[in-house]
């Protein structure tokens, strides 16, 4: 029995422990390094940070636990005002205890701002998810060669991940770099670039380390789009190499406009390169897509490189099932849904169809691949005490089922609607009459509907068909008048009887030229069928083909009698299975139909067994036996008497009697095909297309947002199962019903201020998410500006360099939500793409946008003023080089893990995954340690 694993975000984990320890360590070092204030200083000039000793001696004194003192000069620390937040007054005469207290307050404020940035970033992600999940309708060919309309995503997955998704993950880092440039009057700073490089190191080393070890035992996750990963990894390396080149070698310590523009323009080039790689546009002939079916009958695809241009074997039986990638994906999802339906029917036979469909829909939503934005929103909500978005999955499924059924019924009603353009409508009811030749006179009915307040007139006339006026019926014509209040009139028709055996004949009655206030609608022509009553009849099935929906329960196969209505006739019938199995898909029938005098049509009732199958296509056959005149019919003795006479002794009338005996026509054997219910099919198609977890993201009203912000709820967890899924649905129910935990209450009350503040953001489902996107990014910029000010004041107050604050605290704080999102994605997804495949893309986007936009603006500003934009090499170059060296080691390990003995980038053998995870963590610790030592001049830089 395989073990069932469950992701519970509320549990403490490796990443939170690690971040907490590092944050406390940095705070402790900062507090130890804080110097007592000097005697009162009268200087009001703001100065840069002045340390009491040289950076090298100062750091050594920290490690030795000593307080260094400078013998001469002032050690007063004067902090500059930030862009939004002014420095804490007074700026001078600050005691050591006051400085420590301020440092603690700044640290707590920075931590609280991290929560705010995470919450508004999640709202930003909601808008992005709604935008990138937009769909359009396309018409494709299904496996039967029939056209079918399905919905597909407008945004390409790779483009969405590298543009809006990456922007959503990296918005704080990018905006911090740009805002710092404004804050420092377009001068270079350490906080923004340091955060970008520190965030890249944290993402690559810590997030991947966590994702490697959280995979359940015995499982692995492999990057599916490895070609795209290689491209994004290469560009992420290039981005930081380019930073080194433009700061140290091309124009040392100076950034020209063209260098900034190249950095920025690299972003669209990077996205396009990844897109064409994913679409194989560079060399489409180098890959051939083949299709096969797995053990569950689901179509899967694989790409095989063409070797030497030779044709490798192609599984054409599967390859030719469908005609487009969109249809293949749709068919695969549909098969998953149907498979789950059958499983649930077996497990819960007491449930009705709609509940089973809702459960299957919920399961499909939970199991379908999800975007990076979804995991970010899901984990963010769980961290702040809100209900996970998956909590709404079952309610959403029930709503979708109701809408799908209502849509089907509406379409059916629309097909039956008549034209209501005019106030008064005229038509025959019914539009078809079948009468015996001996009927004499009968009436046909004309109906007036709509307004009955006026006098309405309409002309009518008869027209020959196979029946001829004068010999078979009496022709009529005239004008019908409908006085006010009268809604029905009749037309009298006379049928002429004779003793000559004839085939069935018909003629028509037409309406024409109604008054101006009325219109003719269908049926405006009545058909009158005349049945001969001098013959016992010819019998056959009414329709050659029968397509039977499996939900009809009882289906009627009609047998018709024509060319005579004389006598009582007995007609044997029976059914026989072909591909359909009696007792499983239908019930065999056998019996006799009794046609009385004048009866021309009778049904054979067949019981159809409903299995709720989606692609049912089974056949059974219906047969008619030889008809005979009933023993109790008055004709029967006459027929026996004539049949005993020799042929030469029979009279003309006796031969005519035998000629009129009942006979079988050609259609005495038919096939009946049982298929899925059309309503069920359309409902399933609708549900499959809407089974997208992204539709759970976002709200539709401000009221919903404010209620959600002020409510603490539990549930909505992501469940991850092994192959044993017996208890899947029971487990889901347990999680959905789970109430809030103590941790969720704490986080709710800590974050309720931010939740209410950001509830003013337009709901994500208004105007396809664009208002939410725009307002969120503005609020992220404001929060990031305040965060940058607090981080600078924190470092200034406690004597910590901006570059150290950036890589140790700000980078981790802004990356924390992505850490949880990657962890959940690693466990829940079947591939590693969402967990680590996007790390390299985000790292590259940070440089191309965060550095490219900020440095381009600064270079242009200084060029306008006749200056050069100077960027001191400082600690940025050193930390970037260390990152690049260690990144090469990290990528080598990831590629090594793809070998067969491990199987993928994440998970794998228990001991080995811990070894590799520890290596990644050590790489990050080494990066942090060396960067701090270089920043304080303990080791030399470049």
């Amino acid at each position: 029995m395989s073990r069932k694993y469950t992701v519970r975000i509320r549990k403490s984990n490796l990443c939170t422990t690690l971040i907490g320890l590092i944050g406390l360590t940095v705070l402790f070092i900062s507090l130890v390094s804080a110097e007592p204030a000097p005697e009162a200083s009268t200087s009001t000039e703001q100065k840069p940070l002045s340390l009491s000793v040289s950076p090298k001696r100062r750091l050594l004194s920290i490690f030795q636990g000593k307080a260094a003192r400078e013998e001469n000069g002032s050690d007063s620390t004067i902090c500059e005002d930030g862009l939004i937040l002014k420095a804490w007054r007074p700026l001078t005469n600050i005691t050591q205890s006051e400085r420590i207290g301020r440092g603690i307050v700044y640290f707590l404020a920075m931590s609280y701002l991290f929560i705010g940035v995470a919450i508004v970033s999640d709202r930003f992600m909601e808008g992005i998810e709604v935008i990138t999940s937009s769909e359009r309708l396309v018409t494709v060919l299904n496996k039967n060669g029939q056209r079918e309309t399905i919905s597909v995503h407008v945004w390409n997955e790779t483009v969405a991940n590298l543009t809006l998704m990456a922007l959503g993950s990296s918005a704080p880092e990018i905006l911090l770099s740009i805002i710092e440039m404004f804050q420092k009057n377009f001068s270079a700073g350490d906080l923004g670039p340091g955060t970008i490089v520190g965030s890249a190191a944290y993402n690559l080393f810590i997030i991947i380390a966590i994702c490697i070890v959280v995979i359940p035992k015995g499982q692995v996750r492999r990057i599916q789009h490895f070609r795209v990963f290689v491209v994004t990894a290469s560009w992420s390396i290039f981005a930081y190499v380019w930073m080194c080149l433009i700061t140290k070698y091309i124009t040392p310590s100076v950034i020209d406009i063209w260098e900034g523009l190249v950095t920025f323009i690299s972003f669209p080039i990077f996205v396009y390169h990844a897109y064409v790689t994913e679409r194989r546009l560079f060399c489409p002939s180098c890959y051939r897509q083949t299709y096969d079916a797995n053990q569950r009958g689901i179509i899967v695809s694989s790409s095989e490189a063409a070797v030497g241009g030779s044709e490798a074997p192609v599984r054409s039986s599967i390859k030719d099932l469908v005609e487009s990638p969109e249809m293949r994906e749709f068919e695969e999802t549909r098969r998953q849904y149907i498979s789950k339906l059958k499983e649930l029917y077996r497990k819960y036979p007491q449930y009705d169809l709609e509940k089973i469909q809702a459960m299957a829909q919920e399961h499909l939503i939970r199991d379908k691949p999800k975007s990076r934005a979804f995991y970010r929103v899901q984990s963010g909500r769980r961290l702040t005490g809100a209900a996970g978005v998956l909590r709404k999955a079952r309610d959403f499924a029930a709503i979708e089922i109701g809408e799908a059924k209502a849509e089907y019924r509406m379409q059916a009603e629309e097909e039956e609607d008549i034209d209501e353009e005019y106030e008064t409508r005229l038509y025959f009811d019914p539009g078809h009459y079948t009468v015996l030749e001996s009927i004499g006179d009968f009436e046909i009915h004309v109906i007036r509907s709509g307004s009955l307040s006026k006098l309405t007139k309409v002309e009518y006339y008869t027209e020959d068909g196979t029946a001829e006026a004068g010999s078979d019926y009496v022709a009529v014509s005239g004008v019908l008048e409908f006085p006010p209040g009268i809604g029905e009139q009749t037309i009298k028709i006379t049928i002429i009887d004779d003793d000559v055996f004839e085939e069935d004949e018909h003629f028509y009655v037409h309406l024409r030229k109604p008054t101006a206030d009325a219109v003719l609608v269908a049926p405006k022509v009545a058909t009158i069928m005349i049945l001969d009553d001098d013959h016992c009849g010819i019998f056959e099935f009414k329709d050659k083909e029968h397509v039977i929906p499996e939900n009809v329960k009882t289906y009627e196969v009609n047998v018709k009698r024509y060319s005579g209505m004389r006598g009582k006739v007995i007609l044997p019938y029976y059914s026989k299975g072909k591909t359909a199995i009696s007792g499983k898909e239908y019930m065999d029938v056998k019996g006799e139909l009794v046609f009385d005098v004048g009866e021309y049509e009778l049904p054979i009732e067949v019981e159809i067994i409903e299995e709720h199958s989606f692609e049912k296509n089974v056949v059974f056959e219906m047969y008619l036996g030889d008809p005979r005149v009933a023993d109790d019919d008055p004709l029967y003795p006459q027929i026996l008497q004539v049949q005993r006479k020799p042929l030469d002794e029979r009279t003309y009338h006796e031969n005519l009697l035998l000629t009129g005996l009942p006979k079988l026509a050609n259609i005495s054997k038919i096939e009946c095909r049982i298929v899925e219910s059309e309503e069920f099919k359309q409902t399933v198609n609708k549900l499959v297309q809407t089974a997208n977890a992204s539709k759970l993201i976002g709200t539709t009203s401000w009221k919903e947002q404010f209620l959600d912000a002020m409510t603490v709820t539990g549930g909505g967890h992501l469940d991850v199962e092994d192959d044993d899924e017996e208890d899947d649905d029971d487990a889901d129910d347990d999680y959905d019903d789970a109430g809030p935990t103590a941790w969720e209450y704490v986080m709710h009350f800590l974050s309720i201020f931010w939740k209410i503040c950001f509830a003013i953001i337009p709901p994500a489902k208004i105007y396809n998410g664009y208002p939410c996107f725009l307002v969120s990014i503005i609020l992220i910029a404001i929060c990031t500006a305040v965060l940058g000010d607090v981080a600078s004041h924190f470092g200034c107050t406690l004597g910590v360099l901006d570059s150290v604050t950036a890589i140790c605290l700000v980078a981790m704080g802004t990356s924390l939500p992505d850490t949880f999102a990657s962890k959940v994605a690693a466990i829940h997804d079947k591939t590693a793409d969402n967990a680590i495949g996007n790390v390299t893309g985000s790292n590259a986007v940070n440089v191309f946008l965060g550095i490219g936009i900020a440095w381009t603006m600064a270079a242009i500003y200084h060029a306008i003023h006749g200056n050069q934009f100077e960027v001191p090499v400082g600690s940025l170059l050193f930390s970037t080089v260390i990152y690049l060296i260690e990144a090469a080691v990290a990528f080598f390990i990831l590629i090594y893990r793809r070998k067969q003995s491990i199987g993928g980038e994440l998970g794998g053998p228990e001991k080995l995954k811990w070894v590799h995870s520890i290596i990644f963590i050590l790489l990050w610790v080494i990066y942090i340690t060396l960067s701090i030592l270089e920043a304080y001049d303990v080791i030399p830089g470049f």
Side-chain angles (χ1 to χ4, degrees), residues 832-858:
D833 293 75
N834 272 328
I836 65 173
N838 293 321
V839 166
T840 52
S842 296
N843 288 351
V845 171
N846 284 351
V847 175
F848 296 145
L849 296 184
I851 299 296
I853 295 176
W855 286 5
T856 300
M857 291 191 306

Tab-separated table of all heavy atoms in Angstrom, residues 832-858:
chain	number	residue	atom	x	y	z
A	832	ALA	N	8.887	19.289	-12.642
A	832	ALA	CA	9.623	20.272	-11.834
A	832	ALA	C	9.587	21.654	-12.453
A	832	ALA	O	10.251	22.566	-11.948
A	832	ALA	CB	11.076	19.817	-11.661
A	833	ASP	N	8.815	21.851	-13.511
A	833	ASP	CA	8.854	23.124	-14.230
A	833	ASP	C	8.410	24.288	-13.352
A	833	ASP	O	9.079	25.330	-13.308
A	833	ASP	CB	7.988	23.044	-15.485
A	833	ASP	CG	8.554	22.082	-16.508
A	833	ASP	OD1	8.442	20.861	-16.296
A	833	ASP	OD2	9.110	22.537	-17.502
A	834	ASN	N	7.274	24.160	-12.682
A	834	ASN	CA	6.786	25.263	-11.858
A	834	ASN	C	7.640	25.474	-10.620
A	834	ASN	O	7.722	26.589	-10.106
A	834	ASN	CB	5.338	25.009	-11.434
A	834	ASN	CG	4.351	25.531	-12.454
A	834	ASN	OD1	4.595	26.523	-13.129
A	834	ASN	ND2	3.229	24.857	-12.593
A	835	ALA	N	8.246	24.409	-10.117
A	835	ALA	CA	9.030	24.520	-8.887
A	835	ALA	C	10.369	25.217	-9.131
A	835	ALA	O	10.706	26.181	-8.434
A	835	ALA	CB	9.264	23.134	-8.294
A	836	ILE	N	11.134	24.757	-10.109
A	836	ILE	CA	12.473	25.327	-10.324
A	836	ILE	C	12.697	25.780	-11.760
A	836	ILE	O	13.650	26.502	-12.038
A	836	ILE	CB	13.575	24.320	-9.937
A	836	ILE	CG1	13.540	23.095	-10.856
A	836	ILE	CG2	13.430	23.920	-8.496
A	836	ILE	CD1	14.698	22.148	-10.642
A	837	GLY	N	11.810	25.348	-12.671
A	837	GLY	CA	12.017	25.715	-14.073
A	837	GLY	C	11.922	27.204	-14.304
A	837	GLY	O	12.494	27.743	-15.262
A	838	ASN	N	11.177	27.901	-13.424
A	838	ASN	CA	11.007	29.344	-13.603
A	838	ASN	C	12.000	30.163	-12.800
A	838	ASN	O	12.018	31.393	-12.895
A	838	ASN	CB	9.585	29.743	-13.192
A	838	ASN	CG	8.542	29.162	-14.130
A	838	ASN	OD1	8.755	29.118	-15.333
A	838	ASN	ND2	7.432	28.711	-13.586
A	839	VAL	N	12.814	29.503	-11.972
A	839	VAL	CA	13.793	30.238	-11.168
A	839	VAL	C	14.780	30.974	-12.057
A	839	VAL	O	15.070	32.159	-11.867
A	839	VAL	CB	14.529	29.271	-10.218
A	839	VAL	CG1	15.770	29.933	-9.622
A	839	VAL	CG2	13.597	28.818	-9.112
A	840	THR	N	15.286	30.279	-13.054
A	840	THR	CA	16.286	30.900	-13.939
A	840	THR	C	15.676	32.039	-14.743
A	840	THR	O	16.321	33.068	-14.959
A	840	THR	CB	16.870	29.849	-14.892
A	840	THR	OG1	15.785	29.165	-15.548
A	840	THR	CG2	17.695	28.832	-14.126
A	841	GLY	N	14.437	31.871	-15.179
A	841	GLY	CA	13.774	32.949	-15.906
A	841	GLY	C	13.611	34.185	-15.055
A	841	GLY	O	13.872	35.305	-15.513
A	842	SER	N	13.176	34.029	-13.802
A	842	SER	CA	13.011	35.175	-12.909
A	842	SER	C	14.347	35.857	-12.634
A	842	SER	O	14.420	37.090	-12.573
A	842	SER	CB	12.371	34.717	-11.591
A	842	SER	OG	11.077	34.215	-11.812
A	843	ASN	N	15.402	35.063	-12.464
A	843	ASN	CA	16.719	35.656	-12.215
A	843	ASN	C	17.180	36.521	-13.377
A	843	ASN	O	17.788	37.583	-13.186
A	843	ASN	CB	17.737	34.556	-11.934
A	843	ASN	CG	17.540	33.920	-10.574
A	843	ASN	OD1	16.756	34.404	-9.763
A	843	ASN	ND2	18.242	32.833	-10.313
A	844	ALA	N	16.912	36.057	-14.601
A	844	ALA	CA	17.296	36.848	-15.771
A	844	ALA	C	16.440	38.097	-15.892
A	844	ALA	O	16.937	39.193	-16.177
A	844	ALA	CB	17.177	35.992	-17.032
A	845	VAL	N	15.135	37.962	-15.653
A	845	VAL	CA	14.234	39.108	-15.755
A	845	VAL	C	14.599	40.176	-14.741
A	845	VAL	O	14.496	41.391	-15.015
A	845	VAL	CB	12.774	38.647	-15.575
A	845	VAL	CG1	11.834	39.841	-15.456
A	845	VAL	CG2	12.352	37.773	-16.746
A	846	ASN	N	15.043	39.798	-13.543
A	846	ASN	CA	15.463	40.773	-12.530
A	846	ASN	C	16.521	41.723	-13.066
A	846	ASN	O	16.473	42.932	-12.833
A	846	ASN	CB	16.005	40.044	-11.298
A	846	ASN	CG	14.905	39.456	-10.445
A	846	ASN	OD1	13.726	39.718	-10.676
A	846	ASN	ND2	15.274	38.658	-9.463
A	847	VAL	N	17.496	41.161	-13.763
A	847	VAL	CA	18.582	41.997	-14.295
A	847	VAL	C	18.096	42.819	-15.475
A	847	VAL	O	18.314	44.036	-15.542
A	847	VAL	CB	19.783	41.119	-14.706
A	847	VAL	CG1	20.864	41.961	-15.384
A	847	VAL	CG2	20.350	40.407	-13.490
A	848	PHE	N	17.423	42.168	-16.434
A	848	PHE	CA	17.027	42.865	-17.649
A	848	PHE	C	16.069	44.018	-17.369
A	848	PHE	O	16.140	45.060	-18.032
A	848	PHE	CB	16.389	41.886	-18.631
A	848	PHE	CG	17.337	40.826	-19.123
A	848	PHE	CD1	16.896	39.530	-19.393
A	848	PHE	CD2	18.679	41.111	-19.307
A	848	PHE	CE1	17.764	38.562	-19.841
A	848	PHE	CE2	19.558	40.136	-19.757
A	848	PHE	CZ	19.104	38.860	-20.015
A	849	LEU	N	15.183	43.856	-16.404
A	849	LEU	CA	14.223	44.919	-16.091
A	849	LEU	C	14.687	45.767	-14.909
A	849	LEU	O	14.698	46.996	-14.989
A	849	LEU	CB	12.851	44.315	-15.806
A	849	LEU	CG	12.181	43.601	-16.978
A	849	LEU	CD1	10.777	43.126	-16.593
A	849	LEU	CD2	12.091	44.499	-18.206
A	850	GLY	N	15.072	45.125	-13.799
A	850	GLY	CA	15.466	45.883	-12.613
A	850	GLY	C	16.704	46.728	-12.841
A	850	GLY	O	16.729	47.926	-12.526
A	851	ILE	N	17.744	46.129	-13.397
A	851	ILE	CA	18.979	46.863	-13.685
A	851	ILE	C	18.853	47.645	-14.983
A	851	ILE	O	19.263	48.810	-15.075
A	851	ILE	CB	20.172	45.895	-13.761
A	851	ILE	CG1	20.359	45.181	-12.418
A	851	ILE	CG2	21.435	46.615	-14.171
A	851	ILE	CD1	20.713	46.084	-11.274
A	852	GLY	N	18.257	47.004	-16.017
A	852	GLY	CA	18.174	47.651	-17.328
A	852	GLY	C	17.394	48.950	-17.281
A	852	GLY	O	17.846	49.987	-17.799
A	853	ILE	N	16.205	48.965	-16.670
A	853	ILE	CA	15.384	50.181	-16.622
A	853	ILE	C	16.040	51.239	-15.744
A	853	ILE	O	16.152	52.411	-16.138
A	853	ILE	CB	13.968	49.843	-16.108
A	853	ILE	CG1	13.248	48.930	-17.101
A	853	ILE	CG2	13.171	51.120	-15.880
A	853	ILE	CD1	11.881	48.466	-16.616
A	854	ALA	N	16.487	50.843	-14.537
A	854	ALA	CA	17.063	51.815	-13.598
A	854	ALA	C	18.322	52.455	-14.165
A	854	ALA	O	18.473	53.686	-14.145
A	854	ALA	CB	17.358	51.129	-12.271
A	855	TRP	N	19.249	51.656	-14.667
A	855	TRP	CA	20.513	52.208	-15.160
A	855	TRP	C	20.331	52.975	-16.465
A	855	TRP	O	21.057	53.941	-16.724
A	855	TRP	CB	21.539	51.090	-15.322
A	855	TRP	CG	22.072	50.626	-13.988
A	855	TRP	CD1	21.657	51.042	-12.763
A	855	TRP	CD2	23.097	49.670	-13.773
A	855	TRP	NE1	22.354	50.398	-11.774
A	855	TRP	CE2	23.262	49.543	-12.362
A	855	TRP	CE3	23.893	48.894	-14.604
A	855	TRP	CZ2	24.192	48.685	-11.797
A	855	TRP	CZ3	24.825	48.038	-14.036
A	855	TRP	CH2	24.973	47.934	-12.644
A	856	THR	N	19.369	52.562	-17.295
A	856	THR	CA	19.107	53.331	-18.524
A	856	THR	C	18.580	54.719	-18.189
A	856	THR	O	19.032	55.731	-18.761
A	856	THR	CB	18.094	52.585	-19.405
A	856	THR	OG1	18.624	51.303	-19.766
A	856	THR	CG2	17.806	53.372	-20.676
A	857	MET	N	17.638	54.799	-17.259
A	857	MET	CA	17.110	56.107	-16.861
A	857	MET	C	18.206	56.979	-16.263
A	857	MET	O	18.305	58.183	-16.560
A	857	MET	CB	15.967	55.923	-15.854
A	857	MET	CG	14.716	55.320	-16.438
A	857	MET	SD	13.296	55.408	-15.306
A	857	MET	CE	13.980	54.624	-13.856
A	858	ALA	N	19.044	56.382	-15.390
A	858	ALA	CA	20.114	57.165	-14.768
A	858	ALA	C	21.135	57.635	-15.797
A	858	ALA	O	21.607	58.786	-15.741
A	858	ALA	CB	20.789	56.323	-13.693
